[in-house]
Amino acid sequence: VVLPEFSKYTHKARLWSLDKAQSLEELREWHNRNIKFVNNYNLTHEDKLPSLEYVLTKKFDGLTINLTYDEQGILIKAATRGTGTVGEDVTLQAKTINSIPLKINNYSTIEIHGEAIMTREAFEKYNSEALVPLKNLRNGAAGALRNLNIKETAKRNLSAFFYDVGYNEGEAFKSYEAMMSFIRAMGFPTDEYFKVCRTLEEVEKEINYIEEVRFQLNYDIDGVVLAINDIKTRELLGNTVKFPRWAIAYKFE
């Protein structure tokens, strides 16, 4: 199937990009702002926020993909991030990723996002047969999803990792851990690395660990994402014009 063009898709909830930190000092400033916020809130409110916990996940270097499932649990749309509000409909392209479930055991409209990636194995296999070899894994993934020729997408043999529910008409999640348990239970491919940290020392240790194993992975990452675990704290912190205040991406050199 070769499509004439991409149609636009308006996401049900905005896909935010993340603020970036390139030093532990910047992470410390962010962490201190969060501590101050939680302490101030708890001083002035009866309902207390829990102590801060950060969930660390790898920052995949591919192409963001947003999947929409209807109230029958059927995949009805896959879209790129685009502007964060409007993306491109890549439903047929996404369906070439075998690990994406076409139906899930969930009966309310929901949007789940993740990252489409190309593994080194898929990249090498493709390049061994391609007339025009791909330059890198990221271009391989992005070029495949944004290809109007579905056969070409399928040839790239993409993979994906899912890590966020952006829109949910069902029961709300209390924590990021609960959200990730749901994503796994629904059969989405997820990365096994998911660490809860309570101190900046723990965060630093994990960042060092990921930086060490980075080049042993069979896909590309360019950093670590830190996100607050408690959803109520996230909602109270809210967003700036551009970024959520409750998450930050630590970028490697």
Side-chain angles (χ1 to χ4, degrees), residues 122-146:
F123 178 78
E124 279 156 22
K125 184 176 187 309
Y126 180 88
N127 274 359
S128 70
E129 299 159 2
L131 291 169
V132 183
L134 298 166
K135 288 192 175 67
N136 57 49
L137 301 183
R138 188 176 192 284
N139 288 3
L145 271 187
R146 298 197 67 261

Side-chain angles (χ1 to χ4, degrees), residues 82-102:
T83 61
T85 307
V86 178
E88 286 175 330
D89 181 338
V90 290
T91 308
L92 292 173
Q93 288 84 347
K95 283 180 175 177
T96 70
I97 304 175
N98 299 327
S99 56
I100 289 179
L102 301 179

Side-chain angles (χ1 to χ4, degrees), residues 105-209:
N105 190 17
N106 181 64
Y107 303 98
S108 47
T109 303
I110 196 163
E111 284 189 341
I112 301 198
H113 13 113
E115 197 89 357
I117 56 149
M118 197 169 189
T119 62
R120 297 197 199 288
E121 292 85 349
F123 178 78
E124 279 156 22
K125 184 176 187 309
Y126 180 88
N127 274 359
S128 70
E129 299 159 2
L131 291 169
V132 183
L134 298 166
K135 288 192 175 67
N136 57 49
L137 301 183
R138 188 176 192 284
N139 288 3
L145 271 187
R146 298 197 67 261
N147 200 311
L148 291 164
N149 183 346
I150 312 300
K151 274 201 169 125
E152 182 55 37
T153 309
K155 266 189 215 164
R156 306 252 177 123
N157 195 11
L158 298 185
S159 306
F161 289 117
F162 290 87
Y163 47 75
D164 188 40
V165 173
Y167 176 84
N168 177 20
E169 287 181 10
E171 200 183 326
F173 301 106
K174 297 269 195 293
S175 69
Y176 190 19
E177 283 180 282
M179 185 193 290
M180 281 305 295
S181 296
F182 169 85
I183 291 173
R184 279 195 206 98
M186 290 300 123
F188 290 93
T190 56
D191 183 44
E192 75 291 343
Y193 179 81
F194 184 90
K195 271 283 188 288
V196 180
C197 294
R198 289 171 183 82
T199 66
L200 220 50
E201 289 68 43
E202 287 174 21
V203 167
E204 190 176 349
K205 210 176 101 190
E206 289 301 321
I207 286 173
N208 292 337
Y209 162 72

